[in-house]
Amino acid sequence: MPRISFITPLDQPSGSKRLLDILRTGLKDPHFNQLRIVTAYAKSGPLLRLKSDIETWLASGNSLCAILGIDQQGTSKEALTIAADLCKELYITRENGITFHPKIYLFDGPKHAKIIIGSNNLTVGGTETNFESSVILDLVLPDDDSIYTDLDTMWNKLLPHSCVATKAFEQKLLDELVANGAVLSELDKQARAKLTGNYPAAPRTGLIRKPASPLPISIMKSPKSNATAIMGQPQSSQQVVAGLIIQIKPHHNGEIFLSKIAVLQNPSFFGWPFKGSTIPKKVGNPAYPQRTPDPVVNINVYGSTTTPTLTLSNYKLNMVYYSTKEEIRITASPLVSQVPEYSIMVMMHGNSVGIDYEISIYRPDSPQYTYWLVACNQSMPGGGKKARKFGWF
């Protein structure tokens, strides 16, 4: 009989059990030599977080195969491109009038198999932060051959020779799907969701939630030595980024220094390069590059309770690049009395028209603070009693 366990709806938000961790563990388990994935939606986030583990898995002679649905524009261009590089076999399936909606993850080897079947798509939400539920079956072969055979048959029936809706992945096919709007880039998907009001909002409930794991440092841009030259050049967007996590130290005048390293890693997140200029208060003082118009933000500050201690709605956030010191600063004077040093600021793209960013700030006394601190996987050089940290998710 198989060993049966579950991912229950509260497991992933709390961080007690997540599909991403189960997949990572399976990729390191010597009992398995193949992973097959069938999922309705796929995004770049889980694939980038697992990329190093998958590459090690493949280098050991193991294989990864996947069947991805593209209905409802749920699978992104980036996910298909990354999966094509990692998969021994990659298939896309779509049948007009029928939504492809299964979520199945199948590890197998000569004597063991593990199957996760449930609601988890191959997205950051599906693998880490959403309310999801799944059944996990651990099989020992040949004792559980009857169950394994049914799952293996399921996979084979979805392959192109048996299912006319499934096609082997080709770059030409992806180009056609992108051209006709069936597959979107993740930036385009976010932009459309924002226009329709269907963009995920910043957390405001009392539930204590563990954030998604940070994006690996290796996939972010490496900062160069000549910051001014690089920051003056438009760079390609980091479509995979949902938000920035950064420890902050508000100054008495309301200024908050951002990380120059973070800005260099992902200029587009901050709207860099800035097009406007400051107006010096004194004649003869230099003007500095300024983001214009000021980004409009919603800010919620969290302390010892799970409800905000301060809320600023539609706040105009001054954002300036002080080129002499190569620093980007934002100014929010109301935060000075409310936010102690080393609080964590979580900055996400706005979820409605007219809002550029949703900002949540977690003070050190917040129950969420430790979770967000763990997600800061990079350090800034120097700067006070201890180096500030930041990360991307």
Side-chain angles (χ1 to χ4, degrees):
M1 291 290 293
R3 182 164 62 88
I4 302 173
S5 57
F6 304 92
I7 297 174
T8 65
L10 287 175
D11 285 342
Q12 293 205 146
S14 69
S16 62
K17 183 187 287 187
R18 288 181 163 177
L19 176 60
L20 190 80
D21 297 327
I22 295 170
L23 295 177
R24 182 171 281 125
T25 299
L27 289 166
K28 297 176 181 177
D29 192 326
H31 289 117
F32 307 134
N33 55 27
Q34 182 175 233
L35 169 60
R36 290 177 284 181
I37 297 173
V38 181
T39 186
Y41 305 151
K43 298 288 175 59
S44 64
L47 291 168
L48 289 169
R49 286 165 170 81
L50 293 171
K51 188 171 185 288
S52 176
D53 298 294
I54 293 173
E55 288 172 342
T56 301
W57 161 271
L58 298 175
S60 299
N62 303 316
S63 66
L64 170 65
C65 304
I67 301 171
L68 306 180
I70 59 169
D71 294 316
Q72 301 169 347
Q73 300 170 326
T75 292
S76 71
K77 175 184 176 182
E78 291 83 2
L80 289 171
T81 302
I82 297 167
D85 288 337
L86 297 174
C87 288
K88 177 183 176 182
E89 300 173 14
L90 176 62
Y91 305 97
I92 300 171
T93 186
R94 181 176 63 168
E95 176 68 26
N96 290 336
I98 304 176
T99 300
F100 189 76
H101 215 240
K103 296 94 180 175
I104 304 167
Y105 302 83
L106 172 59
F107 284 101
D108 54 63
K111 295 184 179 181
H112 296 84
K114 179 188 287 286
I115 303 95
I116 305 101
I117 304 175
S119 65
N120 308 69
N121 277 306
L122 191 64
T123 62
V124 172
T127 58
E128 294 197 75
T129 58
N130 284 355
F131 295 113
E132 305 282 1
S133 59
S134 289
V135 177
I136 305 167
L137 303 177
D138 286 286
L139 309 182
V140 177
L141 308 177
D143 294 353
D144 298 317
D145 267 357
S146 60
I147 297 173
Y148 177 80
T149 298
D150 286 345
L151 292 162
D152 191 54
T153 300
M154 172 277 302
W155 170 269
N156 287 316
K157 284 187 175 181
L158 285 174
L159 296 181
H161 61 77
S162 298
C163 183
V164 295
T166 304
K167 300 180 183 297
F169 177 89
E170 295 179 351
Q171 185 61 45
K172 180 182 178 182
L173 175 59
L174 176 59
D175 292 342
E176 292 173 355
L177 293 169
V178 171
N180 64 29
V183 171
L184 300 178
S185 73
E186 291 175 16
L187 276 183
D188 286 341
K189 181 75 172 175
Q190 289 176 3
R192 291 194 182 188
K194 186 172 182 178
L195 288 172
T196 59
N198 191 31
Y199 195 81
R204 289 192 177 89
T205 68
L207 180 67
I208 297 176
R209 293 182 276 183
K210 183 178 179 180
S213 57
L215 287 164
I217 301 173
S218 59
I219 73 164
M220 304 307 299
K221 288 184 172 70
S222 299
K224 306 292 194 302
S225 57
N226 188 343
T228 302
I230 293 171
M231 291 180 76
Q233 299 172 6
Q235 298 187 33
S236 60
S237 301
Q238 287 282 346
Q239 292 97 327
V240 299
V241 167
L244 171 73
I245 318 158
I246 183 171
Q247 287 186 303
I248 59 175
K249 295 171 64 176
H251 288 233
H252 67 278
N253 60 359
E255 287 186 340
I256 297 171
F257 289 30
L258 299 180
S259 166
K260 182 175 70 176
I261 297 174
V263 176
L264 291 174
Q265 287 179 349
N266 196 5
S268 64
F269 183 81
F270 304 94
W272 185 263
F274 298 160
K275 306 299 184 183
S277 297
T278 60
I279 300 174
K281 294 181 179 179
K282 294 183 180 180
V283 177
N285 283 356
Y288 295 108
Q290 176 178 346
R291 179 166 169 174
T292 54
D294 290 339
V296 179
V297 304
N298 291 327
I299 301 176
N300 285 282
V301 179
Y302 295 91
S304 58
T305 64
T306 54
T307 55
T309 60
L310 174 68
T311 295
L312 301 174
S313 300
N314 298 295
Y315 186 84
K316 293 185 177 180
L317 191 72
N318 183 252
M319 189 178 290
V320 175
Y321 174 55
Y322 289 89
S323 50
T324 54
K325 294 186 177 181
E326 297 181 347
E327 297 168 345
I328 285 189
R329 306 178 194 175
I330 57 176
T331 302
S333 299
L335 300 180
V336 175
S337 62
Q338 297 287 326
V339 178
E341 63 180 7
Y342 296 103
S343 294
I344 291 177
M345 181 174 75
V346 180
M347 190 174 186
M348 301 172 62
H349 288 297
N351 56 44
S352 59
V353 175
I355 300 298
D356 296 290
Y357 297 104
E358 292 280 351
I359 295 176
S360 297
I361 297 175
Y362 299 95
R363 301 186 325 200
D365 60 337
S366 166
Q368 299 277 118
Y369 183 83
T370 302
Y371 284 148
W372 286 107
L373 182 59
V374 170
C376 294
N377 59 351
Q378 301 187 59
S379 294
M380 290 168 268
K385 294 175 290 186
K386 57 182 178 181
R388 290 188 296 140
K389 295 184 177 182
F390 76 97
W392 296 98
F393 67 102

